[in-house]
Amino acid sequence: MLNFCSPPEDDRLPEAPGGFCWWYVDLVDERGDGAVLIWGFALPFLEPPTALPAAERPFVNLAIYVQGRCTGYWLVELDPREVTPIDGGWQMGPSRFVTRRGPTVTVQADLVLPVPGGTAPIVAHLQVTGPAAIGAPPPTGPHRWSPVIGAGSGHLELSNDLRLAGRAYHDRNVSDVPLASLGIREWAWGRVAEPGGDRVHYVLWPEAGTPLVLAVHLGEDGTVRWIEGTCEEGGGSRGNWGLRVPRMMILSDPSGARYEVSTPRLVDDAPFYARFPLMTPNGRGWGERVRPGGIGRWWMRPFVGMRVVGPSRSSLWTPLFVGTEQDRLRRLRSEEHTSELQS
């Protein structure tokens, strides 16, 4: 299902159809406000695999969370002809992603994101710096998850005057085969910034058999420690679309030591995906829950399309879901008016 491993030295993409690759950064401050940025190729949550290789399906996704709400959201598909490798990263349309590697790793993202129904794009700058994660096993297997930065720091600035700063985390996820081929019935992932380092968990329930429970600690010096343990869940379930998200998860290692993390609310809720803040007595972070078998069902494709901006997608309802929260109704009316004039 998954190989936890050290990050590769290059950004080579999977070539087989159905493969995917993404880079993930999150930011959280002491109040629990923050952001999640993902960029890559062939995001499997958008639709089932196609006959195209990953390089033909680039995307950028940014979500902003303030006071327990998603106050800004962008999911952008790009024309692959507008995506080129550059020194240290990628030029993806008007946005640029550069990673400088060494004992300290720095990620710089300069984003230009469309605002449906608006008059100007949002411009965002995100920088994350932290110790390079060291000590994970070498890469093997078709599906590889690699923490790159733990216990880092970062800041985000948007052209709408929003500023966020706090603890930051960065990883990479790549697969040579489609998500549906990995035998994963469901997974839970989470990262919590605590004093002395980051705690990360990855729990995968297979279609048949025993779950894989990985508990990883990323120290302030970049040192990676991990164990395979057990997981208990409790406190009822959350989610309005049938995806179970428990209020509490308890991870235990073979010595009996326990680590408990709670989910106060959901900030993204779908039939196959949920995102939520995580809390421990000493830290805050972000988590997600995914049910791969729920992706791509025919009845939800129009609703998924409403949350995506791209050359091959267009929906009158996109202003309600993409862009900043405070002006979405005004932008929806503007989009409807434009469409009436064009018709």
Side-chain angles (χ1 to χ4, degrees), residues 128-181:
V128 169
T129 301
I134 52 174
T140 59
H143 183 205
R144 301 173 295 279
W145 167 55
S146 303
V148 181
I149 295 174
S153 61
H155 62 270
L156 172 69
E157 300 179 357
L158 274 74
S159 54
N160 64 355
D161 295 327
L162 177 67
R163 303 289 184 271
L164 293 169
R167 287 278 294 276
Y169 166 87
H170 175 40
D171 70 17
R172 182 179 191 246
N173 205 309
V174 61
S175 176
D176 301 316
V177 300
L179 181 60
S181 302

Side-chain angles (χ1 to χ4, degrees), residues 29-241:
D29 66 16
E30 294 179 352
R31 298 171 298 182
D33 297 342
V36 174
L37 173 65
I38 308 172
W39 67 99
F41 299 85
L43 183 67
F45 307 152
L46 285 174
E47 59 188 35
T50 71
L52 298 174
E56 296 295 311
R57 300 169 61 198
F59 72 91
V60 176
N61 179 214
L62 174 67
I64 309 295
Y65 303 105
V66 177
Q67 296 181 356
R69 301 193 325 276
C70 182
T71 60
Y73 184 88
W74 291 264
L75 180 49
V76 183
E77 289 182 320
L78 299 158
D79 186 328
R81 293 171 295 184
E82 298 179 347
V83 176
T84 56
I86 58 176
D87 182 26
W90 297 91
Q91 182 75 43
M92 305 184 78
S95 300
R96 177 178 291 249
F97 304 86
V98 175
T99 301
R100 301 301 180 195
R101 298 177 174 89
T104 297
V105 178
T106 298
V107 179
Q108 178 75 45
D110 299 306
L111 309 171
V112 181
L113 301 170
V115 180
T119 58
I122 280 283
V123 178
H125 302 285
L126 182 145
Q127 181 170 305
V128 169
T129 301
I134 52 174
T140 59
H143 183 205
R144 301 173 295 279
W145 167 55
S146 303
V148 181
I149 295 174
S153 61
H155 62 270
L156 172 69
E157 300 179 357
L158 274 74
S159 54
N160 64 355
D161 295 327
L162 177 67
R163 303 289 184 271
L164 293 169
R167 287 278 294 276
Y169 166 87
H170 175 40
D171 70 17
R172 182 179 191 246
N173 205 309
V174 61
S175 176
D176 301 316
V177 300
L179 181 60
S181 302
L182 295 171
I184 302 171
R185 176 176 58 84
E186 195 165 307
W187 84 69
W189 175 91
R191 188 280 290 208
V192 176
E194 293 191 330
D198 284 357
R199 289 183 180 266
V200 187
H201 64 264
Y202 218 140
V203 183
L204 298 97
W205 291 268
E207 294 172 353
T210 305
L212 171 64
V213 181
L214 285 172
V216 180
H217 185 267
L218 300 167
E220 292 180 320
D221 61 354
T223 302
V224 175
R225 294 186 288 110
W226 77 98
I227 58 101
E228 291 190 25
T230 60
C231 174
E232 303 172 51
E233 297 181 316
S237 61
R238 309 284 293 279
N240 297 320
W241 295 91

Side-chain angles (χ1 to χ4, degrees), residues 302-319:
F303 299 102
V304 172
M306 293 177 188
R307 301 196 69 175
V308 183
V309 177
S312 63
R313 298 177 188 258
S314 178
S315 171
L316 280 175
W317 299 102
T318 301

